Amino acid sequence: MIQRFIELGEGYSDIYELLELAKANEERLQHMLAFHTIVKDRAVTSLAIVMKPTEQGKFQAIYVCREGVPNPNITPNQRYSLFEETAEKLGRVIIQMDVKPSTLFPENALYYQHLIAILRLNHYILPLQ
């Protein structure tokens, strides 16, 4: 199984595309995630959706808006509220977790490998087969 993060942007306007992907693919939507972290002394959140693997090719997409939304537990904001509303409409619970910031990694690909490992360890996505 191939699992890959697909970055839409940092969440300023990209959040709307993320929400549309969740709504348009409701039958494939597996999880909605919020990764909380601190970047440059700012509490921020990455919002992501995990899709069920494709039948052919066994590809599992994880769409993400990386570290562009203020952490809603510290600073309530409209973008996170829209994510919450979408989760509620789709009957999903947002899985929240604290993670290291992407700035600690020399490449975004390494950061996403780190997040995939966390998701696998917590059984939110399947391990490699």
Side-chain angles (χ1 to χ4, degrees):
M1 169 132 17
I2 299 169
Q3 294 150 330
R4 185 172 300 136
F5 273 86
I6 300 170
E7 188 171 316
L8 300 175
E10 295 184 352
Y12 295 101
S13 60
D14 313 292
I15 185 77
Y16 302 109
E17 181 64 19
L18 184 71
L19 299 176
E20 287 302 316
L21 281 168
K23 290 182 224 173
N25 293 287
E26 184 177 355
E27 70 287 342
R28 282 196 58 220
L29 181 64
Q30 188 169 6
H31 300 295
M32 295 180 77
L33 308 168
F35 298 109
H36 306 298
T37 194
I38 305 290
V39 176
K40 297 179 185 174
D41 297 323
R42 285 185 49 237
V44 294
T45 297
S46 297
L47 300 176
I49 58 173
V50 178
M51 307 307 273
K52 293 176 185 169
T54 59
E55 296 231 357
Q56 270 189 314
K58 298 296 181 194
F59 175 78
Q60 187 168 28
I62 306 164
Y63 294 95
V64 65
C65 293
R66 183 175 47 93
E67 299 170 344
V69 176
N71 184 326
N73 300 318
I74 296 169
T75 308
N77 61 85
Q78 183 64 30
R79 285 175 279 167
Y80 190 82
S81 295
L82 289 171
F83 194 69
E84 280 182 317
E85 289 170 16
T86 302
E88 188 176 319
K89 285 178 188 172
L90 298 176
R92 302 296 196 285
V93 174
I94 299 171
I95 300 165
Q96 298 186 48
M97 55 184 75
D98 294 325
V99 298
K100 294 178 183 179
S102 64
T103 54
L104 290 181
F105 297 83
E107 299 175 14
N108 285 343
L110 295 174
Y111 173 65
Y112 291 133
Q113 287 177 2
H114 170 72
L115 292 182
I116 285 172
I118 290 170
L119 294 173
R120 285 179 184 156
L121 286 171
N122 286 286
H123 304 284
Y124 293 125
I125 59 177
L126 296 174
L128 289 176
Q129 298 176 7

